[in-house]
Amino acid sequence: MKKINVAIVGASGYTGIELVKLLLNHPKFNLFYIGTSSGEESIEKLHPALLDIATFKVEKSDANEIAKSCELAFLALPHKTAMSFAKELLSLSVKVIDLSADYRLSLESYEKYYEKHIDTENLKQAVYGLPEINKEKIINAKLVANPGCYPTASLLAILPFKKYIKKNTPIFIDAKSGVSGAGKKLTESSHFVQANENFVSYNALKHRHEPEISEHLVSQGVENKIHFVPHLLPLTRGMLVSAYMQVDEEFDAIKVLKEFYKDAKFVRIRNEAVSIKMTAGTNFCDIYAVQKDDILFVSSSIDNLLRGASSQALLNANLMFGFEEDLGIPKIAYVP
Amino acid sequence: MKKINVAIVGASGYTGIELVKLLLNHPKFNLFYIGTSSGEESIEKLHPALLDIATFKVEKSDANEIAKSCELAFLALPHKTAMSFAKELLSLSVKVIDLSADYRLSLESYEKYYEKHIDTENLKQAVYGLPEINKEKIINAKLVANPGCYPTASLLAILPFKKYIKKNTPIFIDAKSGVSGAGKKLTESSHFVQANENFVSYNALKHRHEPEISEHLVSQGVENKIHFVPHLLPLTRGMLVSAYMQVDEEFDAIKVLKEFYKDAKFVRIRNEAVSIKMTAGTNFCDIYAVQKDDILFVSSSIDNLLRGASSQALLNANLMFGFEEDLGIPKIAYVP
Amino acid sequence: MKKINVAIVGASGYTGIELVKLLLNHPKFNLFYIGTSSGEESIEKLHPALLDIATFKVEKSDANEIAKSCELAFLALPHKTAMSFAKELLSLSVKVIDLSADYRLSLESYEKYYEKHIDTENLKQAVYGLPEINKEKIINAKLVANPGCYPTASLLAILPFKKYIKKNTPIFIDAKSGVSGAGKKLTESSHFVQANENFVSYNALKHRHEPEISEHLVSQGVENKIHFVPHLLPLTRGMLVSAYMQVDEEFDAIKVLKEFYKDAKFVRIRNEAVSIKMTAGTNFCDIYAVQKDDILFVSSSIDNLLRGASSQALLNANLMFGFEEDLGIPKIAYVP
Amino acid sequence: MKKINVAIVGASGYTGIELVKLLLNHPKFNLFYIGTSSGEESIEKLHPALLDIATFKVEKSDANEIAKSCELAFLALPHKTAMSFAKELLSLSVKVIDLSADYRLSLESYEKYYEKHIDTENLKQAVYGLPEINKEKIINAKLVANPGCYPTASLLAILPFKKYIKKNTPIFIDAKSGVSGAGKKLTESSHFVQANENFVSYNALKHRHEPEISEHLVSQGVENKIHFVPHLLPLTRGMLVSAYMQVDEEFDAIKVLKEFYKDAKFVRIRNEAVSIKMTAGTNFCDIYAVQKDDILFVSSSIDNLLRGASSQALLNANLMFGFEEDLGIPKIAYVP
């Protein structure tokens, strides 16, 4: 079978290199085009880990060039730049999976938390690419808004308990991410000496992933207000979400999880606490829950760069092109 | 002035060595006796970092020997062993600061969460050694129950908001500790390969520090139920507590904190997120809070081995012997 | 094509799980048998990262059972236990790749540095499994002694410069390994609190990998004495070897390396300093060298658990069964 | 006794904050002036760890202002800027301890490895501030060139063996430093994601500390050529130097060390491998050595920011002002 040519636009960051790594191993997608904002580098100069593995030229990203040869483009770009590329690519009949925030929110929310949206037409058609809730829509989508890392882990943890959560009570999400989540940019908080042996919250109750989580909970029927505080872990990759909520009745939380995810290939329910190490390197979301009286604690673990970005994007691509969901999707963790 | 002779019983663990280090620098206490369960070692063999600094013989702990020369003993022992020593030392008129859990709880709670108590007489007189709430009692105490690390950080974070917390709503405490909190014992979860690049909750909703926090909140008039989940951070020392609660009205959270702690020498209120690095190496508890609508998020940071154990114990000793509270208490963090 | 059934004996350690992970992905070997010293567990209980991926029963290792179905066994056992299993398996016509030290040294050296050898017959036939120097012999081997991690990185760094190294001058090897190299056993030096933020040499000039390096240098014609000091790095996986030697003439060190390894699929020559991160997760050995006057510095980087153990073992298996050398061998690093 | 007023010029970096921390605790120096290149900040804004501890205004560094009140200035500045300040301060009769490289080398070496020297007059009078070899000169110095971190650890390791080292053989120094050694500046190599779980050499055989080590070995009678390769450790603070050399005869290396340092207050000789954790937080240099045949391995450990910079500077200040050498100098490590 002929492979499908695909492009990565924005290959210089961490989600970019993860996409390159995944696509190099994919049996049915052919990584044909790699673009960055500057171009003109070899892939091994951009990502020295790829020396002697791949020999791509890195292009200055150009939608018309992409459209000549590729059926799909992954956008690993900053928000705003993403929607500008997406709009152009879609108009040239290239399918798009956007890893930025540009198509994840309603217009109203987007313009409240980000800025003016410049592609409101496509925004209406965009499908939120969380396969556990939107698989059918993703299969038919031309534009997938790939979920944020925090929303992925949070939604997967909370949704199964929809019918048990007490109405009008708050849900608290205490989330922790490795430093790769902050990107490659040089900042004080990602300086080794600052981040190492340290732990700190940031944007408490004000992070832009809060409306993303909230909106998609509401769309699934969970109306409770959520309150979200992310923290920075002194490790490279991985994310753990601890969610706290009040529930109406006693139930077997593990059983509820197993039932809810009985057909999910990339959610694992564990009988003991989930940990970052078990999912780092994979597309799995591991979930654990424990109830005490009217309180439910749910903990979920993902690799922020894979399930929280690049491998989830690739899984969405598999769905959009009619491939097996798990084709080329990593399952084996980096342990030990 | 003649120095006060003091003893450390149980000097082989992390809180033990911290006490040794603090007492070596203290101007009015004289570290006279260092005991472990086995004895017969030099201090530099027990703690090689102390080579050429101190030349103590390490004794096999013996209450009668201690009573001959020391006015105060710090017990850095496992629970149960601690109360057995405390009982004997108190009967010999040695004052005791116990770093274990043995005198922190009511008899009922202790026997529910730990085991049968063997020193119920002294338990009645024991003072919970959190100086910000019990200073006067500590000054007059013969037996101080030094608070646990999680309770220290949690109580200091929550108590200032007593009058604002909505009645009958739950308080959630998502706490994170460095690996030193788990002690020196060799366990799978403290193996480097397991703990490094990892993060995991443990004893969710079932940790024995939950009743300790709860009881002392109640004793201060906060009747809300608390729900406590600790996590293990991939770093050596430090603790961060994130507390979530519902409140009745809007207020200036930073101002409330500053007012509540206006006389506290070892609580610092920060206008931005507190971090572990700012307090590691000190007795400070740094606190930050932010309110949004009816939700309050409070974050506190301490050094789990110092404010969460040994330096708080020493500060209690200062109070018990009429010294300046901050005498020999570390204020300058290990940063960078 | 029918797959070749293979066994892992000793699957509970780090090299064991790495073998499991690699074999699960291999297109021509079928992981048929997984044994440990105790048996009777599921693989996901032994290695929770494998939950929902593999469903093996873990057997109590038994050579006769293995011989019934498997053509090849990987031994990831302590030395001594390994040779006892190898002997039995070979007598049952099962090929063996031994990851222990039991067949890596001459009889004389082995008995000097380890203990009495109990399988001297097979020792004579054993092939040292460093593919860059012994490919033809490996292809025809029934028993491969898989090289140690330090020897792999050291030999690959030094051998290319054989004809340049000054006779009768010492070669110094300053080697550094991540903590996974010390195995899963609970020891003081691998306790997180001890290893984290620390760095220390061990067994300086006395490590048992020194004779292994030395013997195989000599067998390749490098007669210089080597002096070896390993150190423990505060990271999970990876190894860097820094070798220092005196040379007779000026030459282009990078060119020498590129020429020597022009046919090697798993050695990469870099023009700048090699780092652990570039090889962690792969079978690559990255090498860099710089000369100044009569001094040569060579630095090599490998993943201690893969190129230093399990993936090199699998590559040897590929050769022994006539498969492409790089079949199922990992090339893409865990970066970022 | 009236305290001596001192200034820190260049207080924004890591050695700057270490100096602040040390001087806040010093019984005879009064930290009177803190300057940076920009000024106009409070110390707690510059270094948030100092909140509620110190209330200095941070000045825009001005030599004339300093000369009005201070008898001594510590310069924690980049090279070149340092000599410009030193020259001016010395002309105003302020004693200077310069932590940069500006006065550590001979004019010839300085101009070869750095740039044109603009204060050749004072360069002639500068004393190299390694107390173990230059104590008398330091006592009488007006200008002390505080040694680099690598040279401190290397010289202290090698000098004791002066009479045993074989003439005309090379000495190899394989050195490893924590990331704080690279300073506060945001660079790719100090980004957490790059440095964490990584290890790499840099400037192999070309580092500017090589001539510094070499010159001061020669001045002490060790004429052997040295070859120096530094590496970057994934930890915040600490440095370990591994030195390899050929020797003429057998001797008891530990005894040689103990004899050589019998009067040294800040060198500890250990009978087993030295580690970074034992010295981090102190001014100690721990040394271990082992000999095998004609080969000697020496390993030394220091805190790169303290013994390698700020506490050594303070000790030099003690000597210059006739105080006890160890006054206010940290001896107790940060362990655990």
Side-chain angles (χ1 to χ4, degrees):
Chain A
M1 195 191 101
K2 208 168 141 279
K3 286 187 172 186
I4 307 286
N5 281 344
V6 302
I8 298 170
V9 186
S12 58
Y14 296 145
T15 54
I17 187 178
E18 287 301 310
L19 282 168
V20 173
K21 288 163 55 181
L22 292 166
L23 286 165
L24 286 174
N25 275 335
H26 198 279
K28 298 200 176 166
F29 289 121
N30 177 42
L31 178 52
F32 187 86
Y33 184 101
I34 298 181
T36 64
S37 56
S38 50
E40 288 176 46
E41 280 182 287
S42 68
I43 188 72
E44 72 194 43
K45 196 150 184 193
L46 190 62
H47 295 301
L50 300 178
L51 175 67
D52 289 4
I53 294 168
T55 49
F56 294 91
K57 192 170 162 307
V58 178
E59 312 288 341
K60 185 162 158 52
S61 303
D62 178 321
N64 284 301
E65 283 303 309
I66 293 167
K68 283 182 193 162
S69 49
C70 296
E71 296 181 45
L72 170 69
F74 295 92
L75 307 187
L77 296 167
H79 69 87
K80 192 172 182 186
T81 313
M83 58 185 162
S84 143
F85 258 97
K87 190 176 179 181
E88 197 176 354
L89 286 162
L90 289 161
S91 75
L92 296 162
S93 299
V94 180
K95 290 181 181 176
V96 168
I97 297 176
D98 176 26
L99 282 81
S100 87
D102 282 351
Y103 298 92
R104 293 176 190 160
L105 296 176
S106 68
L107 179 60
E108 192 190 337
S109 281
Y110 187 86
E111 298 201 330
K112 179 172 172 195
Y113 292 99
Y114 291 84
E115 57 188 290
K116 191 155 176 51
H117 206 290
I118 61 173
D119 184 24
T120 53
E121 275 315 298
N122 288 311
L123 177 57
K124 288 178 206 154
Q125 322 299 331
V127 173
Y128 190 68
L130 191 63
E132 283 76 7
I133 60 171
N134 274 341
K135 190 179 290 188
E136 290 312 309
K137 288 185 188 163
I138 295 164
I139 288 171
N140 299 301
K142 290 202 161 48
L143 168 59
V144 164
N146 210 59
C149 48
Y150 287 125
T152 296
S154 300
L155 292 167
L156 293 175
I158 296 168
L159 285 173
F161 299 103
K162 173 177 148 181
K163 70 172 192 183
Y164 301 98
I165 303 170
K166 201 174 210 157
K167 295 223 182 314
N168 300 317
T169 62
I171 298 174
F172 297 100
I173 302 172
D174 188 287
K176 302 91 175 171
S177 171
V179 182
S180 63
K184 211 173 179 171
K185 213 181 131 193
L186 303 181
T187 63
E188 271 191 43
S189 59
S190 60
H191 190 290
F192 182 87
V193 173
Q194 182 64 21
N196 183 44
E197 296 292 288
N198 205 1
F199 185 68
V200 60
S201 69
Y202 62 99
N203 294 348
L205 307 182
K206 291 168 205 158
H207 194 281
R208 296 193 289 198
H209 279 178
E210 187 175 291
E212 184 181 335
I213 300 168
S214 187
E215 237 179 56
H216 295 283
L217 280 176
V218 168
S219 79
Q220 298 296 313
V222 179
E223 306 271 356
N224 302 62
K225 262 201 176 171
I226 62 150
H227 306 282
F228 176 72
V229 179
H231 301 70
L232 194 62
L233 281 168
L235 53 82
T236 296
R237 61 158 82 201
M239 170 170 287
L240 199 107
V241 157
S242 304
Y244 300 86
M245 58 205 91
Q246 291 167 260
V247 289
D248 276 321
E249 50 178 294
E250 294 222 12
F251 50 90
D252 181 333
I254 298 296
K255 205 173 146 189
V256 169
L257 285 167
K258 288 191 171 165
E259 176 62 23
F260 191 86
Y261 289 117
K262 64 177 187 291
D263 299 323
K265 286 193 172 171
F266 287 99
V267 176
R268 294 188 296 198
I269 311 309
R270 291 192 176 270
N271 297 313
E272 65 286 329
V274 298
S275 70
I276 274 182
K277 203 178 262 293
M278 294 293 107
T279 58
T282 81
N283 189 58
F284 281 115
C285 178
D286 282 8
I287 310 182
Y288 165 70
V290 59
Q291 190 188 6
K292 197 178 142 198
D293 307 327
D294 65 336
I295 297 299
L296 181 70
F297 166 72
V298 193
S299 182
S300 60
S301 161
I302 62 168
D303 183 318
N304 58 308
L305 297 178
L306 291 176
R307 174 51 102 115
S310 301
S311 66
Q312 183 150 276
L314 181 57
L315 191 151
N316 284 326
N318 282 340
L319 293 173
M320 289 164 84
F321 284 83
F323 303 146
E324 280 298 305
E325 192 180 357
D326 59 353
L327 205 66
I329 305 296
K331 292 184 174 176
I332 299 183
Y334 290 162
V335 285
Chain B
M1 195 191 103
K2 210 168 141 276
K3 288 186 173 187
I4 306 286
N5 281 345
V6 302
I8 299 170
V9 186
S12 58
Y14 296 145
T15 53
I17 187 179
E18 287 301 311
L19 282 168
V20 174
K21 288 162 56 181
L22 291 167
L23 285 165
L24 286 174
N25 275 334
H26 197 278
K28 299 201 175 167
F29 289 121
N30 176 44
L31 178 51
F32 187 86
Y33 184 101
I34 299 180
T36 64
S37 56
S38 50
E40 290 178 44
E41 280 182 288
S42 67
I43 188 72
E44 72 193 45
K45 198 151 185 191
L46 190 61
H47 296 301
L50 300 178
L51 175 67
D52 290 4
I53 293 168
T55 50
F56 294 91
K57 194 171 162 305
V58 178
E59 312 287 342
K60 185 162 157 51
S61 303
D62 178 321
N64 283 300
E65 282 304 309
I66 293 167
K68 281 183 194 163
S69 48
C70 296
E71 296 181 45
L72 170 69
F74 295 92
L75 308 187
L77 296 166
H79 69 89
K80 191 173 182 186
T81 312
M83 60 185 159
S84 144
F85 258 97
K87 190 177 179 180
E88 197 176 352
L89 286 163
L90 288 162
S91 76
L92 296 163
S93 300
V94 180
K95 290 182 181 175
V96 169
I97 297 176
D98 176 26
L99 282 80
S100 87
D102 282 353
Y103 298 93
R104 294 177 191 159
L105 295 176
S106 68
L107 179 59
E108 192 189 338
S109 281
Y110 187 86
E111 299 200 332
K112 179 171 171 196
Y113 292 99
Y114 291 84
E115 58 187 290
K116 192 159 174 49
H117 205 289
I118 60 174
D119 185 24
T120 53
E121 275 316 298
N122 287 311
L123 177 57
K124 289 177 206 154
Q125 322 299 330
V127 174
Y128 190 67
L130 191 63
E132 282 76 8
I133 61 172
N134 273 341
K135 191 179 290 187
E136 289 312 310
K137 287 184 189 163
I138 295 164
I139 288 171
N140 298 302
K142 291 202 159 49
L143 168 59
V144 164
N146 211 58
C149 47
Y150 287 125
T152 296
S154 300
L155 291 167
L156 293 175
I158 296 168
L159 285 173
F161 300 103
K162 174 176 147 181
K163 70 172 191 182
Y164 301 98
I165 304 169
K166 202 175 208 157
K167 295 225 180 313
N168 299 317
T169 62
I171 298 174
F172 297 100
I173 303 173
D174 188 289
K176 301 91 174 172
S177 171
V179 181
S180 63
K184 209 171 179 172
K185 213 181 132 193
L186 303 181
T187 62
E188 271 191 43
S189 59
S190 60
H191 190 292
F192 181 87
V193 173
Q194 182 64 21
N196 183 45
E197 295 292 288
N198 205 0
F199 185 69
V200 59
S201 69
Y202 62 99
N203 295 347
L205 307 183
K206 292 168 203 157
H207 193 280
R208 295 194 290 199
H209 280 178
E210 185 175 293
E212 184 181 335
I213 300 168
S214 186
E215 238 180 56
H216 295 284
L217 279 177
V218 168
S219 79
Q220 299 296 314
V222 179
E223 306 272 355
N224 302 61
K225 261 199 177 172
I226 62 149
H227 306 282
F228 175 71
V229 179
H231 301 71
L232 194 62
L233 280 168
L235 53 82
T236 295
R237 61 157 84 201
M239 169 169 288
L240 199 108
V241 158
S242 304
Y244 300 86
M245 58 205 90
Q246 291 167 260
V247 289
D248 277 319
E249 50 178 295
E250 295 223 12
F251 50 90
D252 180 334
I254 298 296
K255 204 173 146 188
V256 169
L257 285 167
K258 287 190 172 166
E259 176 61 23
F260 191 86
Y261 289 118
K262 64 177 187 289
D263 299 325
K265 287 194 171 170
F266 287 99
V267 177
R268 293 188 295 197
I269 311 309
R270 291 191 177 270
N271 297 314
E272 66 286 329
V274 298
S275 70
I276 274 182
K277 203 177 263 292
M278 293 294 106
T279 58
T282 82
N283 189 59
F284 281 114
C285 178
D286 282 7
I287 310 182
Y288 165 71
V290 59
Q291 191 188 5
K292 196 179 143 197
D293 306 326
D294 66 335
I295 297 300
L296 180 69
F297 167 72
V298 193
S299 182
S300 60
S301 161
I302 63 168
D303 183 316
N304 59 308
L305 296 179
L306 291 175
R307 174 50 104 117
S310 302
S311 67
Q312 183 150 276
L314 182 57
L315 190 152
N316 284 326
N318 282 340
L319 293 174
M320 289 164 84
F321 284 82
F323 303 147
E324 281 298 305
E325 192 179 357
D326 59 354
L327 205 66
I329 306 296
K331 292 185 173 176
I332 299 184
Y334 290 162
V335 285
Chain C
M1 196 192 99
K2 208 168 141 280
K3 286 189 174 186
I4 307 287
N5 281 344
V6 302
I8 298 170
V9 186
S12 57
Y14 296 144
T15 54
I17 187 179
E18 287 301 310
L19 282 168
V20 174
K21 288 162 56 180
L22 291 167
L23 286 164
L24 287 173
N25 274 335
H26 198 277
K28 299 201 175 167
F29 289 120
N30 176 42
L31 178 51
F32 186 86
Y33 184 100
I34 298 180
T36 64
S37 56
S38 50
E40 290 177 45
E41 280 182 287
S42 68
I43 188 72
E44 72 193 43
K45 195 149 187 195
L46 189 62
H47 297 300
L50 300 178
L51 175 67
D52 289 3
I53 294 168
T55 50
F56 294 92
K57 191 168 164 309
V58 177
E59 311 288 340
K60 184 164 157 51
S61 303
D62 179 320
N64 284 300
E65 282 304 308
I66 293 167
K68 283 182 194 162
S69 49
C70 296
E71 296 181 45
L72 171 69
F74 295 91
L75 307 187
L77 297 166
H79 70 87
K80 192 171 180 186
T81 314
M83 60 185 161
S84 144
F85 258 98
K87 192 177 177 181
E88 199 176 352
L89 287 163
L90 289 162
S91 76
L92 296 162
S93 298
V94 180
K95 290 181 183 177
V96 169
I97 296 176
D98 175 26
L99 283 80
S100 87
D102 282 353
Y103 298 93
R104 292 177 191 160
L105 296 176
S106 68
L107 178 60
E108 192 190 337
S109 280
Y110 187 86
E111 299 200 331
K112 179 172 170 195
Y113 292 99
Y114 291 83
E115 58 187 288
K116 192 156 176 50
H117 206 290
I118 61 173
D119 185 23
T120 53
E121 274 317 296
N122 287 312
L123 178 57
K124 288 177 204 155
Q125 321 300 331
V127 174
Y128 191 66
L130 192 62
E132 282 77 7
I133 60 172
N134 273 341
K135 191 179 289 187
E136 288 313 308
K137 288 183 188 163
I138 296 165
I139 288 171
N140 298 301
K142 292 200 159 49
L143 167 59
V144 164
N146 211 58
C149 48
Y150 287 126
T152 295
S154 300
L155 291 168
L156 293 175
I158 296 169
L159 285 173
F161 299 103
K162 173 177 147 180
K163 71 172 191 182
Y164 301 98
I165 304 170
K166 201 174 209 158
K167 294 222 182 318
N168 300 315
T169 62
I171 297 173
F172 297 100
I173 302 172
D174 188 288
K176 302 90 176 172
S177 172
V179 181
S180 63
K184 210 172 178 170
K185 213 181 131 192
L186 303 180
T187 63
E188 270 191 44
S189 58
S190 60
H191 190 290
F192 182 87
V193 174
Q194 181 64 20
N196 184 43
E197 296 293 286
N198 204 1
F199 185 69
V200 60
S201 69
Y202 62 99
N203 293 349
L205 307 182
K206 292 169 204 157
H207 193 282
R208 294 194 292 197
H209 279 179
E210 185 175 293
E212 184 182 334
I213 300 167
S214 186
E215 239 180 53
H216 295 284
L217 279 177
V218 168
S219 80
Q220 299 296 314
V222 179
E223 306 272 355
N224 302 60
K225 262 199 175 170
I226 62 148
H227 306 282
F228 176 71
V229 179
H231 302 70
L232 194 61
L233 281 168
L235 53 82
T236 296
R237 62 157 83 201
M239 169 168 289
L240 199 108
V241 157
S242 304
Y244 300 86
M245 59 204 89
Q246 292 167 259
V247 289
D248 277 321
E249 50 179 294
E250 295 222 12
F251 50 89
D252 180 333
I254 298 297
K255 204 172 147 190
V256 168
L257 286 167
K258 288 191 170 166
E259 175 62 23
F260 191 87
Y261 289 118
K262 63 178 187 291
D263 299 325
K265 286 194 173 170
F266 287 100
V267 177
R268 294 189 294 198
I269 311 309
R270 291 192 178 269
N271 297 314
E272 66 287 327
V274 298
S275 70
I276 274 181
K277 203 176 262 293
M278 293 294 107
T279 59
T282 81
N283 190 57
F284 281 114
C285 178
D286 282 7
I287 310 183
Y288 165 71
V290 60
Q291 191 188 6
K292 196 178 143 198
D293 306 327
D294 65 335
I295 297 299
L296 180 69
F297 167 72
V298 193
S299 182
S300 60
S301 161
I302 62 169
D303 183 316
N304 59 308
L305 296 178
L306 291 176
R307 175 49 102 114
S310 301
S311 67
Q312 183 150 275
L314 182 57
L315 190 151
N316 284 327
N318 283 340
L319 293 174
M320 289 164 83
F321 284 83
F323 303 148
E324 280 298 304
E325 192 180 356
D326 59 354
L327 205 67
I329 306 296
K331 291 184 174 174
I332 298 183
Y334 290 161
V335 286
Chain D
M1 196 191 101
K2 207 168 143 277
K3 287 188 173 186
I4 307 286
N5 281 345
V6 302
I8 299 170
V9 186
S12 58
Y14 296 145
T15 54
I17 187 179
E18 286 302 311
L19 282 168
V20 173
K21 287 162 56 180
L22 291 167
L23 286 165
L24 286 174
N25 274 334
H26 197 279
K28 299 201 176 167
F29 289 121
N30 177 42
L31 178 51
F32 187 86
Y33 184 100
I34 298 180
T36 64
S37 55
S38 49
E40 289 176 47
E41 280 182 288
S42 68
I43 189 72
E44 72 193 44
K45 196 149 188 195
L46 190 62
H47 296 299
L50 300 179
L51 176 68
D52 289 3
I53 294 168
T55 50
F56 295 92
K57 190 169 164 306
V58 177
E59 311 288 341
K60 183 161 158 52
S61 302
D62 179 321
N64 283 301
E65 282 304 310
I66 293 167
K68 282 184 195 162
S69 50
C70 295
E71 297 181 44
L72 171 68
F74 295 91
L75 308 188
L77 296 166
H79 69 88
K80 193 173 180 186
T81 312
M83 56 186 163
S84 143
F85 258 98
K87 191 177 177 180
E88 197 176 353
L89 287 163
L90 288 162
S91 77
L92 296 163
S93 298
V94 179
K95 289 181 182 177
V96 169
I97 297 176
D98 176 26
L99 282 80
S100 87
D102 282 352
Y103 298 92
R104 292 177 191 160
L105 296 176
S106 67
L107 179 60
E108 192 190 337
S109 280
Y110 187 86
E111 299 200 331
K112 179 171 171 194
Y113 292 99
Y114 291 83
E115 58 186 288
K116 191 156 176 50
H117 205 290
I118 61 172
D119 185 24
T120 55
E121 274 316 296
N122 287 311
L123 178 58
K124 288 177 205 155
Q125 322 299 331
V127 173
Y128 191 67
L130 191 64
E132 282 76 8
I133 61 171
N134 273 340
K135 190 179 291 188
E136 289 312 310
K137 288 183 188 165
I138 295 164
I139 289 172
N140 298 301
K142 292 204 158 48
L143 168 59
V144 164
N146 211 57
C149 48
Y150 287 125
T152 295
S154 300
L155 292 168
L156 293 175
I158 296 169
L159 285 173
F161 300 103
K162 173 177 147 181
K163 71 172 191 183
Y164 300 98
I165 304 170
K166 201 175 208 157
K167 294 224 181 315
N168 299 316
T169 61
I171 298 173
F172 297 101
I173 302 172
D174 189 289
K176 301 91 175 171
S177 171
V179 182
S180 63
K184 210 172 179 173
K185 213 181 130 192
L186 303 180
T187 63
E188 272 191 42
S189 59
S190 60
H191 190 290
F192 182 87
V193 174
Q194 181 64 20
N196 183 44
E197 296 292 288
N198 205 0
F199 184 68
V200 61
S201 68
Y202 62 98
N203 294 349
L205 306 182
K206 291 169 206 157
H207 193 281
R208 294 193 292 197
H209 279 180
E210 186 174 293
E212 184 182 334
I213 300 168
S214 186
E215 237 178 57
H216 294 284
L217 279 177
V218 169
S219 79
Q220 298 296 313
V222 180
E223 306 272 354
N224 303 60
K225 264 200 174 169
I226 62 149
H227 306 282
F228 175 72
V229 179
H231 301 70
L232 194 62
L233 281 168
L235 53 81
T236 295
R237 62 157 81 201
M239 169 169 289
L240 198 107
V241 157
S242 304
Y244 300 86
M245 58 205 91
Q246 292 167 260
V247 289
D248 276 321
E249 50 178 295
E250 295 222 11
F251 50 89
D252 181 333
I254 298 297
K255 204 173 145 189
V256 169
L257 285 167
K258 287 191 171 166
E259 175 61 23
F260 191 86
Y261 288 117
K262 64 177 187 292
D263 298 325
K265 286 193 172 170
F266 287 100
V267 177
R268 294 188 295 197
I269 311 308
R270 291 192 177 269
N271 297 313
E272 66 285 328
V274 298
S275 70
I276 273 181
K277 203 178 262 294
M278 293 294 107
T279 59
T282 81
N283 190 58
F284 280 114
C285 178
D286 283 6
I287 310 182
Y288 165 71
V290 60
Q291 190 189 3
K292 197 178 143 198
D293 306 327
D294 65 335
I295 297 299
L296 180 69
F297 167 71
V298 193
S299 181
S300 60
S301 161
I302 63 169
D303 183 316
N304 59 307
L305 296 179
L306 291 176
R307 175 50 103 115
S310 301
S311 68
Q312 183 150 276
L314 182 57
L315 190 152
N316 284 326
N318 283 339
L319 293 174
M320 288 164 84
F321 283 83
F323 302 147
E324 279 298 304
E325 193 180 357
D326 59 354
L327 204 67
I329 306 296
K331 291 184 173 175
I332 298 183
Y334 291 160
V335 286

